[in-house]
């Protein structure tokens, strides 16, 4: 039996209700990690991902475009995670508005930036104090 590379690690993954995020959640759990299955919409899909994990995990409702909500979601993850620590963050939350730029409103462009760019920064900003305090992550 081989050692699992992520045994004892707690990893929060945004956008884990489908696609790449779900695949990363499955891989991390298979490698022994406790996984936070982060989702904003698609709770049913997130529950299916969680149910399919090889190791225990937790659902984490997280709207990456809402920085104060991100902080609350990180606190919820830390409360559920073994040892109250976080060892990794994978930012997979994202979205796209298809079509030529000329057809998009500036509100649509800002929404995309809020999720796809600033959302990742908000998540990192929320977990870094804990990781710095742990001296790991």
């Amino acid at each position: 039996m081989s050692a699992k590379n992520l045994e004892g690690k707690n990893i929060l993954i945004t956008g884990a209700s489908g696609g790449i995020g779900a695949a990363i959640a499955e891989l991390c759990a298979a490698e022994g990690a406790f996984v936070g299955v982060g989702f904003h919409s698609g709770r049913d899909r997130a529950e299916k991902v969680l149910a399919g994990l090889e190791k225990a995990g937790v659902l984490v409702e997280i709207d990456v475009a809402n920085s104060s909500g991100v902080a609350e979601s990180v606190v919820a993850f830390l409360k559920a995670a073994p040892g109250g620590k976080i060892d990794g963050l994978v930012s997979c939350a994202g979205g796209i508005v298809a079509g030529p730029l000329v057809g998009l409103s500036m509100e649509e462009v800002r929404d995309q930036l809020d999720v796809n760019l600033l959302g990742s920064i908000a998540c990192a900003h929320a977990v870094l104090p804990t990781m710095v305090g742990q001296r790991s992550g």
Side-chain angles (χ1 to χ4, degrees):
M1 182 177 196
S2 64
K4 295 192 174 194
N5 293 329
L6 298 176
E7 194 68 44
K9 302 294 184 184
N10 301 331
I11 301 176
L12 175 59
I13 304 168
T14 67
S17 63
I20 294 171
I24 292 171
E26 291 166 5
L27 179 63
C28 288
E31 287 295 320
F34 177 89
V35 175
V37 177
F39 72 97
H40 174 56
S41 59
R43 181 180 195 91
D44 292 344
R45 291 186 323 234
E47 288 173 346
K48 287 179 185 173
V49 171
L50 181 64
L53 297 182
E54 286 186 29
K55 183 163 174 105
V58 65
L59 288 179
V60 180
E61 189 165 1
I62 184 166
D63 177 1
V64 300
N66 175 344
S67 58
S68 62
V70 167
E72 292 170 7
S73 296
V74 168
V75 167
F77 173 74
L78 290 169
K79 285 181 180 178
K85 66 184 183 89
I86 183 167
D87 300 292
L89 168 70
V90 181
S91 293
C92 287
I96 187 165
V97 176
L101 180 60
V102 70
L104 301 178
S105 70
M106 285 308 296
E107 182 178 352
E108 290 172 312
V109 172
R110 281 187 197 91
D111 288 346
Q112 290 297 288
L113 290 172
D114 283 347
V115 172
N116 297 340
L117 174 62
L118 298 177
S120 292
I121 294 169
C123 290
H125 188 264
V127 302
L128 280 172
T130 300
M131 289 180 170
V132 168
Q134 298 170 169
R135 300 184 63 110
S136 69

